[in-house]
Amino acid sequence: MNVTRLVNFICIIVGGVVAFYAQAQEEKNTYILIGGIMLLVFGIYRTSRNIPSKFDKEEESFVKTEKEDEI
């Protein structure tokens, strides 16, 4: 497994656990909850950044376009 992917998954897991822990306490600490959510979103963002878009692929068509000659 790639090191950056491992860091991303660790951020997601730790952020989720911290956010869940901060929410589950009787006396909720808002700053810990925000920090956990930020770490979770940071890991998700870094993971989704490496997923290619389905619109990046150029579809081949039967009609080929020709470049216009410069006049």
Side-chain angles (χ1 to χ4, degrees), residues 9 12 23 27 35 39 48 51 53 61:
F9 288 130
I12 292 170
Q23 186 67 24
E27 196 172 304
L39 195 59
S48 68
I51 299 173
S53 172
S61 66

Side-chain angles (χ1 to χ4, degrees), residues 23-62:
Q23 186 67 24
Q25 289 182 345
E26 189 172 316
E27 196 172 304
K28 295 174 179 50
N29 191 341
T30 307
Y31 296 113
I32 294 176
L33 179 62
I34 290 172
I37 291 172
M38 285 176 59
L39 195 59
L40 178 69
V41 170
F42 176 73
I44 291 172
Y45 167 72
R46 284 181 47 111
T47 302
S48 68
R49 198 171 54 171
N50 296 328
I51 299 173
S53 172
K54 67 178 183 179
F55 298 113
D56 286 346
K57 295 186 244 176
E58 291 184 22
E59 294 182 16
E60 293 183 27
S61 66
F62 294 108

